[in-house]
Amino acid sequence: MDAVHLFDITVDVHPRLSMGSGPFGQRILFGAAGGSFEGPKLRGEVLPGGGDWTLFRPDGAMSLDVRLMLRTHDDALVHMTYGGRWITPPELRADMADPVTRHQIDPAHYYFRNIASAAPFGDGETAVQRGDLLLA
């Protein structure tokens, strides 16, 4: 199956909440406060309440565990989840955390990969329509 661009997404987050350190690293919750997404066939808002349960590993890598609820422009709900790995050199971490400078950093200087999935919610007719968009 070929990858298809569905949308670009911007997620606004609450201040981070540390859950402490464990044997695999430090777990931090970046709770979703809102946001937006837009693509060729799909656009809308990120609803508050989801978030990223990130694990900062001792080797410097971040493991992502993200769950979000999206509302499309025509009021359909979509559950989005993704996991991934993000490796950022220590000298770039402050700039990556800054909302003003993070988009100015050359992606060649860090490693970021994820796998996303999305599932429509709603009544049967809405889910089928959104499912067609997600699989198109």
Side-chain angles (χ1 to χ4, degrees):
M1 180 197 278
D2 293 330
V4 176
H5 176 251
L6 292 177
F7 50 77
D8 293 319
I9 187 167
T10 301
V11 180
D12 303 321
V13 296
H14 293 293
R16 66 176 162 179
L17 176 62
S18 176
M19 293 179 244
S21 294
F24 300 111
Q26 182 180 20
R27 182 73 64 183
I28 303 283
L29 170 61
F30 295 94
S36 63
F37 64 96
E38 186 165 351
K41 297 181 179 180
L42 214 51
R43 68 183 183 283
E45 65 178 321
V46 177
L47 299 177
D52 181 354
W53 286 258
T54 301
L55 179 66
F56 288 84
R57 298 178 1 183
D59 64 2
M62 290 170 39
S63 295
L64 309 177
D65 176 11
V66 179
R67 289 160 272 173
L68 300 169
M69 185 62 74
L70 312 177
R71 183 185 312 275
T72 65
H73 63 283
D74 55 357
D75 218 28
L77 294 176
V78 177
H79 174 250
M80 179 177 177
T81 182
Y82 63 91
R85 185 172 174 175
W86 192 348
I87 301 172
T88 306
E91 63 273 13
L92 293 179
R93 291 180 187 159
D95 286 339
M96 290 298 287
D98 184 334
V100 175
T101 59
R102 68 175 157 219
H103 299 292
Q104 301 168 2
I105 298 171
D106 182 350
H109 292 104
Y110 60 89
Y111 177 90
F112 179 67
R113 299 290 183 271
N114 69 25
I115 297 175
S117 65
F121 283 94
D123 61 79
E125 183 177 327
T126 302
V128 170
Q129 290 173 357
R130 291 291 65 96
D132 289 347
L133 283 176
L134 293 173
L135 298 174

